Amino acid sequence: MEKEDLKILNKGEEEEMELQGYRLCHWRLVLVGLGVLCTGGFLLLLLYWMPEWCVKSTCTRTTARDAEVVLLRSVDEFKRWFLARVRVMLAPGSNPFHSLETQTTSPCSPSSSSCPFSSPASPPIANGHATHPSEGSPTQELIRRYADYQPTQIRYFTFHSSKYYWNDEVQNFKVLNGLEDLQISCSTLHSEHSTGLTRNQQEYRRLFFGFNEIAVKVPSVFKLLIKEVLNPFYIFQLFSVILWSADEYYYYAAAIVFMSVISTATSLYTIKKQYVMLHDMVAAHSIVRVSVCRANNEIDEILSTDLVPGDVMVIPSNGTIMPCDAVLISGTCIVNESMLTGESVPVTKTNLPNPVPEDMRGETDSIYNTEEHKRHTLFCGTNVIQTRFYTGELVKAVVVRTGFSTAKGQLVRSILYPKPTDFKLYRDAYLFLLCLVAVAGIGFVYSIVLSVMNEVSAKTIIIESLDIITITVPPALPAAMTAGIVYAQRRLKHIGIFCISPQRINICGQINLVCFDKTGTLTEDGLDLWGVQRVENGCFHLSEENAYKENLVKSQFVACMATCHSLTKIEGQLSGDPLDLKMFEATGWILEEATEEETSLHNRIMPTVVRPPKQLLPQESVASQEQDMELYELSSVYEIGIVRQFPFSSALQRMTVVARLLGEKRMDAYTKGAPEVVAGLCKKDTVPENFAEVLEGYTKQGFRVIALAHRRLESKLTWHKVQNINRDHIEANMEFLGLIIMQNKLKVETPAVLRDLRQANIRTVMVTGDNMLTAISVARDCGMIPAQDTVIIADALPPHDGQAAKITWRYADKPSQTSLLEEVNISLEGVSHVDEPKAQELYHFAMNGKSFGVIAEHFPDMLQKLVLHGTVFARMAPDQKTELIEALQGVDYFVGMCGDGANDCGALKRAHGGISLSELEASVASPFTSRTPNISCVPSLIREGRAALITSFCVFKFMALYSIIQYISVTLLYSIFSNLGDFQFLFIDIFIILLIVFTMSLNPAWKELVSRRPPSGLISGSLLFSVLTQVLICLAFQTITFLWVQQQPWYTKWTPFTDACNLSSHMNTSDHNSTEPDDHNIQNFENTSLFYVSAFQYLIVAIVFSKGKPFRQPSYKNWPFVLSALSLYIFLLFIMFHPVENIDSFLEIVCVPFEWRVKLFLIIVVNAAVSVVVETFILDIILWKLLFSREKQGSFGITPVPPAPQRGIDLRAHKCLSWMCCPRKMPKARYMHLAQELSVDPDWPPKPTTTTEARPHPQNGSTYQIMISS
């Protein structure tokens, strides 16, 4: 039954989950209630922490349809459990898109046959909202109006702010997103959804979709406090405090309570502040008054919270902040989408095309999709700056999605419910804590056995045994671990990098591959016009510097440059895409837009008009060439009106406008875009034969090339038809006009930053929407591809005409020998070292977005091999950038992504460390945002990440050693029925541990990136070696101290009358005589000796673990840490060699002879020397080098080459140490494993004469075969 009724929610999506249905079981609830009483509430806590146990212990399995509680489990690597309560509401129908006026009364479903609205036995109505703001409960209104209808039970549950409704058709719960659920075509959207909804329909839909609000509820302080306090760590602290109080350690317990209160208060303040900030960000402009069209042609003004999918909203002419996602069905809008993309360039949104009936032939009338039709969609939270409208026809948009289903809502959900950070450090931290608990368990058993053997009272046995556990797991660990991240975040903010996900800072320390967008990231944002190359009669003219010439003013080439753009005037200033601006400015033409007054005088929309300056026009009317006479009728005014825009689409890689010359009857279509795409739309005889040659010549030099094309439209295409025609009908049989060559200069900082990353063994990859050869050229110019390396271009073709998908391989031309000599030194410095002789030429793969898509679909195992050496990915669509990030993560790279935030949102969010180059302080599209508009922020982020990561390791190691040192002291003292005193615990934990742990985290990052990376987890050879050796050293020296003090000639069992230092001190013993009896046997020679030695041991391991170079600045530059450690050393030496009576009595230490103090000092000095030697020389010099050499070889995918024979002795020592500390095995990282495989593959890399073909039926696990081309 379980297998059969396991449902999959959101299949194939990021939030995919398994769902199981459960029904509450009363007898199980009673048993659990008894268990809670018997365990003093602990069972309730356990069930709160473990949702799976909670559901399974109180419920029985049932079908998903009849479930009262659903148990959800994520299918990602975290396998998290959630529970949700299924609620029931009554509605007049089961489908929100059905019309209540037209539907007939239908018999009840089996589940609702006995549930009329008035039935007292019916389940309570729970529609998720209490009352409508103005009309009372919408459900009650519908009950009154549709009393004749048989009510339907609607079962639903809410999870992560999304409502999932039971769907009888698919027999599963489904989330309702909006109009897109209907899979409606563009023409249907115009014909059936453009009239608006009646009030009844609106209220009926609101039952399902709820109010249009992104409700970020700020929890009360009490709720937050309960949630924080119920954290397992705080429960453990509460348990510890109760235990210490029972053992009369009042001061220490009070100190821990005080620290916990401060920690909780700080945490609550931070969480509350984040909630308030998010609430304010969302709440700003979220509730506005909007005008909607009703089905009876009325205009109704309502609150934006009342909007539902299907409402037709009127966009005001003076602009607005969009309260929902809506698709334009009439008019155009200028929108600022910086809230979503981080880029504040205004975008033109046009109305959704409405294919006329004669044009509807299957494919032309596409299904509406917000992603595909985003140039026609206004997204929630974006700012509509201006609208262009018709007289009598307002600018209208159909509401598509509301609330949390909108683009802004999804962003807010991703912030409210973030995916857990999967990082080895955090997983290992839990394992390490479990190890500490296991150690505590040994002490627990030891303490019980010892106490029972010596017939100690039961109360003492329980308290002292449990005390061991509280000592071993340090209470200040979480606070200590976050200190380094908080300091790193502060340093990042200081250099202009803002972070909305602090946990990712540590992960950035592991980044070993960074993807860069090209335009605006590696190169300057603005493009400069380098020149133009016109085409006439199918032949190229010579290239010209600009088009600002009298003889070209009336040419189609210049007309295309002047009209084919999405520029608009905002407050008198031209605004829009930087490329469009440069192109338009190069013509010298003037753009004029109609005012509202002018538009209202016309029956149609007043077009945007462009015209040349008067000085460029001929002074007198002279007949020009025949073709110009055909195209233009000369008149005193020469103006071109832009009638319709088909905006630029990343997927189509082109934009088109329909324009009309003043006085002309026929219209013209102008297209600009990627040369390969535009040439494919043109008549073959108009494209020059040497087109590919000329284009390649420019792109190899790194120029950005844009092609222009023109078509004279048929006279039958009227203005009205043009407004509704599909762009595919316009963009065909065009005439090729020529090329615009734009120069995209590298940013000054780019080459140096990429060189630093390469020297640090961090791979760099270019992901761009630009032409491939341009991208390869830029990659060579900036040093991403060294001059002597080969570039292999993979051209993949999808299956067609019964042929399998195939990849053809070709080698890109290398630059001249001169550039080889110039760049070879940098290249060698970056990627070669003693252990890596270059046995073969290095190579890089390059491919475009189409090839990437084909390879991902038909050659999945080939894709992993390609990304291992893939350096240039051109013509990539935004979703393909995200897929590439996932593919790189799939082979275990830690991926960074740096982009300008425009088309990179998905990739920036998906990468381990995404950094957006945006002027906005906190772009919600990216975990990190840099105010510095160049890639110099990337090494800074990685350096700070490495420093934070090493700080986390240092702190964790120190806290682990602190626990073990204290554990050793207490265990040794337990053997003589003694313990550390209350104030000794207090002094160690407050004045030594907290002071040291918060100052040792202050080391800034090292000033440059080094070629080795810190380990990613605590369970690594070097770290385990470090911790275990220091544990053994501390254990040895404490045991020596404990045993040696008992062998001293002056040693006796200490009593208040003992005076072992009467020879070396003139302390008055009369005070001792009046000392009260010591019930806990704290004051004795063993306690005092171990207190001194252990106090110094804390400081020794703090200094030993506080590593500086190569990831952090040396500790001596961290003056708070130096000052703290020095002060504590001086204080401890002072009280050891010059006892102060008040301090001794406060710390409950006893006076010991001076000779023993000298011996203790010698023990401490030798302990320090051994610790430093083991950590610094053995670990850092020998072990680190061994591990590092392996890792470095793996990071470039190079198999280690056996050393020369004369190094045999070194090799044996190397092997021995390797076997001891890090046994040889296959590399853990998938990319290293692949690199080893490919290094022995004779067919890799593919030769330029080969074709790789997909196999329909994979053999031997391979989905392709390589064939030699004939």
Side-chain angles (χ1 to χ4, degrees):
M1 176 184 169
E2 296 207 7
K3 288 282 182 188
E4 287 174 12
D5 207 49
L6 186 73
K7 303 290 184 185
I8 303 294
L9 287 186
N10 310 320
K11 192 160 190 177
E13 296 175 30
E14 194 176 352
E15 278 195 338
E16 188 175 331
M17 290 176 294
E18 293 172 353
L19 178 145
Q20 298 169 25
Y22 284 86
R23 187 183 289 278
L24 284 169
C25 176
H26 297 294
W27 65 266
R28 288 192 180 197
L29 278 169
V30 171
L31 282 178
V32 168
L34 288 171
V36 169
L37 287 172
C38 294
T39 57
F42 182 72
L43 179 61
L44 192 63
L45 274 173
L46 201 62
L47 297 181
Y48 169 77
W49 295 330
M50 309 290 286
E52 181 196 5
W53 294 6
C54 179
V55 172
K56 289 184 176 179
S57 61
T58 57
C59 304
T60 53
R61 276 302 296 270
T62 184
T63 59
R65 179 195 176 90
D66 301 321
E68 293 176 359
V69 176
V70 290
L71 185 62
L72 305 165
R73 189 174 79 151
S74 64
V75 298
D76 55 20
E77 64 270 31
F78 303 103
K79 308 290 181 194
R80 292 170 296 158
W81 291 93
F82 306 95
L83 65 89
R85 188 76 186 266
V86 177
R87 300 182 183 278
V88 179
M89 73 173 180
L90 294 176
S94 60
N95 189 326
F97 299 111
H98 283 170
S99 172
L100 288 179
E101 281 78 4
T102 58
Q103 78 178 32
T104 56
T105 307
S106 57
C108 283
S109 62
S111 62
S112 60
S113 57
S114 61
C115 302
F117 279 104
S118 57
S119 169
S122 63
I125 293 166
N127 62 4
H129 297 283
T131 57
H132 188 279
S134 56
E135 300 175 15
S137 166
T139 312
Q140 295 299 330
E141 284 290 317
L142 291 167
I143 291 170
R144 187 170 51 78
R145 290 175 196 160
Y146 300 98
D148 297 335
Y149 284 78
Q150 285 286 7
T152 307
Q153 268 196 354
I154 310 292
R155 305 177 72 81
Y156 73 95
F157 67 88
T158 306
F159 175 70
H160 283 180
S161 300
S162 291
K163 279 187 180 178
Y164 292 81
Y165 289 89
W166 177 256
N167 187 316
D168 271 325
E169 288 179 22
V170 296
Q171 287 292 300
N172 199 355
F173 284 95
K174 286 194 75 176
V175 69
L176 286 176
N177 289 310
L179 272 191
E180 282 178 294
D181 295 339
L182 290 175
Q183 297 280 301
I184 47 173
S185 63
C186 297
S187 59
T188 308
L189 216 152
H190 276 278
S191 60
E192 295 179 17
H193 296 271
S194 59
T195 53
L197 304 174
T198 63
R199 286 185 182 84
N200 291 343
Q201 286 174 319
Q202 190 188 55
E203 286 175 12
Y204 173 55
R205 287 191 185 181
R206 202 178 302 124
L207 287 177
F208 293 88
F209 291 102
F211 286 104
N212 173 36
E213 57 186 0
I214 301 169
V216 179
K217 293 176 183 173
V218 180
S220 66
V221 174
F222 179 73
K223 275 188 179 176
L224 284 173
L225 179 66
I226 294 298
K227 195 174 178 182
E228 185 75 11
V229 168
L230 291 182
N231 182 301
F233 172 72
Y234 284 113
I235 297 298
F236 176 72
Q237 275 200 337
L238 180 66
F239 164 74
S240 302
V241 165
I242 294 168
L243 187 70
W244 295 328
S245 301
D247 204 18
E248 298 177 10
Y249 286 144
Y250 300 119
Y251 293 105
Y252 183 56
I256 292 295
V257 167
F258 177 73
M259 280 196 302
S260 298
V261 167
I262 297 293
S263 171
T264 308
T266 310
S267 181
L268 289 185
Y269 172 76
T270 309
I271 295 167
K272 179 93 174 175
K273 188 181 172 187
Q274 286 173 346
Y275 268 111
V276 170
M277 281 174 64
L278 187 61
H279 176 268
D280 292 347
M281 182 191 88
V282 172
H285 315 292
S286 64
I287 301 178
V288 290
R289 295 201 76 82
V290 293
S291 298
V292 293
C293 300
R294 292 294 178 208
N296 51 7
N297 292 326
E298 285 181 12
I299 301 291
D300 196 5
E301 197 170 274
I302 61 170
L303 283 173
S304 59
T305 49
D306 292 337
L307 288 170
V308 295
D311 270 328
V312 176
M313 179 183 169
V314 178
I315 311 294
S317 58
N318 58 346
T320 183
I321 302 285
M322 285 301 295
C324 59
D325 287 355
V327 58
L328 270 175
I329 52 169
S330 64
T332 60
C333 294
I334 311 297
V335 184
N336 184 332
E337 293 189 328
S338 59
M339 198 289 296
L340 288 179
T341 64
E343 187 179 45
S344 55
V345 173
V347 180
T348 302
K349 302 280 185 172
T350 59
N351 59 307
L352 187 75
N354 181 17
V356 288
E358 61 263 26
D359 291 333
M360 284 197 272
R361 300 282 184 274
E363 290 186 345
T364 54
D365 190 15
S366 58
I367 299 295
Y368 171 74
N369 177 281
T370 47
E371 187 56 40
E372 285 178 30
H373 297 95
K374 64 182 177 185
R375 285 292 185 174
H376 313 294
T377 306
L378 304 170
F379 292 103
C380 181
T382 58
N383 185 6
V384 178
I385 302 166
Q386 285 181 359
T387 62
R388 308 292 307 283
F389 57 94
Y390 307 82
T391 304
E393 272 199 68
L394 300 165
V395 178
K396 297 178 189 173
V398 178
V399 177
V400 180
R401 295 183 299 197
T402 57
F404 276 100
S405 296
T406 62
K408 183 179 179 181
Q410 295 290 355
L411 269 175
V412 174
R413 282 182 74 234
S414 69
I415 296 169
L416 280 174
Y417 313 107
K419 206 174 176 181
T421 311
D422 179 32
F423 192 37
K424 202 165 178 288
L425 170 67
Y426 305 124
R427 293 200 304 269
D428 289 355
Y430 288 116
L431 281 174
F432 217 92
L433 279 175
L434 284 174
C435 292
L436 289 179
V437 170
V439 170
I442 296 166
F444 180 77
V445 173
Y446 163 78
S447 174
I448 290 174
V449 171
L450 195 70
S451 301
V452 169
M453 285 170 66
N454 289 276
E455 298 178 359
V456 178
S457 66
K459 181 191 171 186
T460 310
I461 292 174
I462 293 167
I463 290 173
E464 291 193 345
S465 303
L466 292 174
D467 199 25
I468 283 276
I469 295 171
T470 65
I471 287 166
T472 315
V473 181
L477 183 62
M481 287 288 281
T482 53
I485 296 171
V486 171
Y487 296 146
Q489 191 176 4
R490 196 184 299 164
R491 288 195 297 269
L492 283 171
K493 192 173 181 180
H494 184 68
I495 57 174
I497 299 172
F498 299 92
C499 172
I500 60 168
S501 181
Q503 292 299 328
R504 292 213 188 200
I505 296 174
N506 267 345
I507 301 175
C508 288
Q510 276 296 304
I511 285 174
N512 55 359
L513 184 147
V514 185
C515 295
F516 292 98
D517 182 35
K518 184 178 80 70
T519 310
T521 304
L522 296 173
T523 60
E524 295 290 351
D525 207 1
L527 292 159
D528 297 317
L529 185 75
W530 182 86
V532 297
Q533 191 151 9
R534 294 182 298 120
V535 168
E536 277 184 15
N537 302 322
C539 296
F540 277 114
H541 282 252
L542 291 171
S543 61
E544 299 160 274
E545 199 170 315
N546 60 53
Y548 189 76
K549 296 176 182 175
E550 275 189 33
N551 64 324
L552 297 180
V553 72
K554 293 187 177 182
S555 68
Q556 295 288 15
F557 189 89
V558 171
C560 187
M561 288 177 69
T563 57
C564 198
H565 53 72
S566 56
L567 300 177
T568 186
K569 278 195 170 178
I570 297 173
E571 296 177 359
Q573 289 290 315
L574 265 183
S575 185
D577 185 86
L579 186 148
D580 287 351
L581 269 172
K582 284 285 181 188
M583 184 182 75
F584 184 74
E585 285 168 1
T587 63
W589 284 38
I590 297 153
L591 181 138
E592 290 179 353
E593 288 182 325
T595 60
E596 289 181 27
E597 292 78 15
E598 289 173 327
T599 306
S600 62
L601 297 173
H602 296 77
N603 290 329
R604 299 173 184 166
I605 189 168
M606 187 73 174
T608 298
V609 172
V610 291
R611 56 183 173 79
K614 287 179 181 176
Q615 61 266 31
L616 277 183
L617 288 169
Q619 296 301 312
E620 54 188 33
S621 298
V622 180
S624 63
Q625 300 172 9
E626 282 182 31
Q627 63 177 21
D628 284 338
M629 283 299 293
E630 182 187 334
L631 297 171
Y632 308 117
E633 289 179 16
L634 288 170
S635 61
S636 57
V637 180
Y638 185 83
E639 286 183 351
I640 301 175
I642 301 168
V643 177
R644 171 100 195 262
Q645 272 186 14
F646 296 99
F648 176 78
S649 160
S650 299
L652 300 174
Q653 298 175 2
R654 63 180 182 269
M655 86 164 285
T656 298
V657 294
V658 176
R660 176 186 273 164
L661 178 67
L662 188 67
E664 275 287 319
K665 291 182 180 177
R666 289 168 71 179
M667 299 186 197
D668 298 276
Y670 297 103
T671 297
K672 82 168 195 296
E676 310 93 317
V677 174
V678 172
L681 302 172
C682 294
K683 298 173 190 169
K684 284 190 177 177
D685 59 333
T686 66
V687 181
E689 288 180 8
N690 61 339
F691 163 76
E693 220 174 283
V694 172
L695 175 63
E696 196 171 331
Y698 285 124
T699 53
K700 277 184 178 175
Q701 295 174 62
F703 290 117
R704 175 92 178 263
V705 184
I706 293 146
L708 306 182
H710 160 259
R711 176 186 164 194
R712 197 83 194 274
L713 298 178
E714 301 81 5
S715 54
K716 68 174 184 179
L717 280 176
T718 61
W719 182 92
H720 183 73
K721 283 186 177 178
V722 163
Q723 294 306 317
N724 295 308
I725 199 168
N726 193 298
R727 70 189 293 170
D728 294 341
H729 292 271
I730 299 284
E731 297 168 338
N733 296 318
M734 306 195 85
E735 291 181 9
F736 194 77
L737 293 178
L739 305 172
I740 297 176
I741 300 102
M742 313 288 281
Q743 194 171 20
N744 196 197
K745 294 175 184 173
L746 278 176
K747 288 184 178 176
V748 181
E749 304 82 4
T750 298
V753 170
L754 292 179
R755 186 172 65 247
D756 289 346
L757 291 173
R758 196 168 65 252
Q759 288 174 349
N761 280 354
I762 295 170
R763 260 188 71 192
T764 51
V765 171
M766 186 189 295
V767 193
T768 176
D770 206 345
N771 174 281
M772 189 196 294
L773 292 172
T774 303
I776 292 171
S777 171
V778 170
R780 286 200 185 276
D781 290 345
C782 66
M784 196 177 276
I785 300 176
Q788 73 276 14
D789 290 3
T790 305
V791 176
I792 306 169
I793 297 172
D795 288 322
L797 295 170
H800 67 285
D801 300 333
Q803 292 186 337
K806 62 180 180 179
I807 309 170
T808 52
W809 309 95
R810 58 191 174 94
Y811 282 30
D813 293 340
K814 283 191 180 181
S816 65
Q817 285 298 314
T818 320
S819 63
L820 174 71
L821 293 170
E822 286 172 1
E823 294 193 29
V824 72
N825 291 333
I826 294 171
S827 173
L828 286 171
E829 184 188 348
V831 298
S832 65
H833 58 84
V834 180
D835 296 330
E836 278 184 16
K838 291 190 181 179
Q840 58 181 15
E841 191 173 33
L842 293 177
Y843 56 90
H844 304 257
F845 287 109
M847 69 191 78
N848 60 26
K850 285 181 183 174
S851 296
F852 178 82
V854 172
I855 293 167
E857 186 179 349
H858 299 283
F859 302 87
D861 51 344
M862 170 70 81
L863 183 64
Q864 291 196 334
K865 296 176 181 180
L866 289 177
V867 296
L868 195 66
H869 284 275
T871 302
V872 174
F873 296 86
R875 297 282 187 228
M876 296 285 276
D879 58 328
Q880 288 180 321
K881 291 183 180 183
T882 309
E883 285 174 33
L884 174 64
I885 299 291
E886 289 172 344
L888 289 163
Q889 289 172 335
V891 291
D892 298 339
Y893 276 112
F894 282 89
V895 185
M897 172 73 197
C898 183
D900 56 7
N903 293 319
D904 311 313
C905 296
L908 288 167
K909 286 170 73 177
R910 187 56 55 90
H912 290 109
I915 184 162
S916 169
L917 305 183
S918 168
E919 291 182 7
L920 301 174
E921 184 168 317
S923 168
V924 289
S926 173
F928 299 95
T929 306
S930 170
R931 273 188 174 171
T932 312
N934 60 61
I935 64 169
S936 61
C937 58
V938 174
S940 302
L941 177 62
I942 297 173
R943 283 191 299 107
E944 287 296 347
R946 287 179 173 186
L949 185 56
I950 286 295
T951 298
S952 294
F953 287 143
C954 292
V955 167
F956 201 95
K957 284 159 64 179
F958 175 67
M959 293 302 283
L961 258 293
Y962 143 63
S963 297
I964 297 293
I965 290 168
Q966 202 167 76
Y967 170 77
I968 293 166
S969 302
V970 171
T971 308
L972 288 170
L973 290 173
Y974 271 14
S975 67
I976 59 163
F977 305 100
S978 179
N979 201 349
L980 290 173
D982 197 358
F983 289 104
Q984 287 176 343
F985 275 124
L986 200 65
F987 175 77
I988 290 167
D989 286 12
I990 307 296
F991 295 100
I992 297 182
I993 304 305
L994 281 187
L995 195 62
I996 291 296
V997 92
F998 287 115
T999 55
M1000 78 188 294
S1001 303
L1002 287 168
N1003 288 35
W1006 185 244
K1007 52 185 179 288
E1008 60 190 36
L1009 273 178
V1010 294
S1011 55
R1012 60 163 131 154
R1013 284 186 300 139
S1016 59
L1018 290 163
I1019 313 299
S1020 65
S1022 56
L1023 288 169
L1024 286 177
F1025 181 85
S1026 171
V1027 170
L1028 290 174
T1029 49
Q1030 293 302 327
V1031 166
L1032 291 172
I1033 291 164
C1034 293
L1035 173 65
F1037 282 96
Q1038 280 203 52
T1039 307
I1040 289 167
T1041 305
F1042 182 76
L1043 297 174
W1044 200 9
V1045 71
Q1046 294 172 349
Q1047 305 302 318
Q1048 297 306 305
W1050 46 264
Y1051 175 81
T1052 58
K1053 187 176 179 181
W1054 191 89
T1055 66
F1057 306 101
T1058 306
D1059 188 10
C1061 52
N1062 57 354
L1063 301 174
S1064 55
S1065 171
H1066 300 290
M1067 286 174 65
N1068 189 355
T1069 58
S1070 61
D1071 290 335
H1072 289 294
N1073 297 337
S1074 60
T1075 307
E1076 292 178 10
D1078 184 8
D1079 293 337
H1080 291 90
N1081 188 24
I1082 302 298
Q1083 292 179 305
N1084 53 61
F1085 297 121
E1086 290 90 345
N1087 171 291
T1088 300
S1089 303
L1090 287 178
F1091 172 76
Y1092 282 132
V1093 171
S1094 64
F1096 278 104
Q1097 280 182 340
Y1098 299 125
L1099 296 174
I1100 291 164
V1101 293
I1103 290 165
V1104 162
F1105 285 159
S1106 189
K1107 300 282 177 70
K1109 190 178 175 180
F1111 304 117
R1112 304 196 306 164
Q1113 295 280 5
S1115 293
Y1116 61 78
K1117 290 191 176 180
N1118 178 358
W1119 64 265
F1121 175 70
V1122 172
L1123 199 64
S1124 303
L1126 204 60
S1127 303
L1128 286 165
Y1129 268 122
I1130 291 167
F1131 175 76
L1132 286 169
L1133 286 170
F1134 175 75
I1135 63 169
M1136 193 166 87
F1137 284 106
H1138 186 80
V1140 178
E1141 187 182 344
N1142 290 337
I1143 295 173
D1144 283 4
S1145 61
F1146 177 78
L1147 291 174
E1148 297 181 89
I1149 52 180
V1150 299
C1151 191
V1152 293
F1154 184 79
E1155 312 88 72
W1156 180 239
R1157 290 179 216 156
V1158 172
K1159 287 175 184 175
L1160 284 177
F1161 180 70
L1162 286 172
I1163 290 170
I1164 291 158
V1165 169
V1166 175
N1167 186 343
V1170 173
S1171 291
V1172 169
V1173 166
V1174 169
E1175 185 74 15
T1176 308
F1177 292 96
I1178 295 178
L1179 182 75
D1180 287 358
I1181 294 175
I1182 302 172
L1183 196 63
W1184 252 116
K1185 278 190 176 179
L1186 170 67
L1187 293 176
F1188 167 52
S1189 63
R1190 277 212 195 142
E1191 186 179 311
K1192 190 167 182 181
Q1193 287 162 347
S1195 66
F1196 273 94
I1198 297 167
T1199 307
V1201 177
Q1206 62 264 31
R1207 293 170 62 196
I1209 298 168
D1210 292 341
L1211 177 64
R1212 279 192 292 276
H1214 217 63
K1215 278 185 176 177
C1216 178
L1217 192 57
S1218 166
W1219 179 83
M1220 285 167 57
C1221 308
C1222 187
R1224 182 169 290 277
K1225 54 187 173 185
M1226 290 303 290
K1228 285 184 181 177
R1230 174 93 181 122
Y1231 68 87
M1232 291 186 189
H1233 181 70
L1234 277 170
Q1236 284 190 359
E1237 283 182 5
L1238 295 178
S1239 65
V1240 294
D1241 187 345
D1243 296 324
W1244 196 264
K1247 306 294 183 288
T1249 55
T1250 57
T1251 299
T1252 305
E1253 205 168 273
R1255 283 179 173 156
H1257 305 292
Q1259 297 171 16
N1260 303 325
S1262 176
T1263 57
Y1264 61 87
Q1265 60 181 350
I1266 297 173
M1267 302 181 303
I1268 307 296
S1269 301
S1270 53

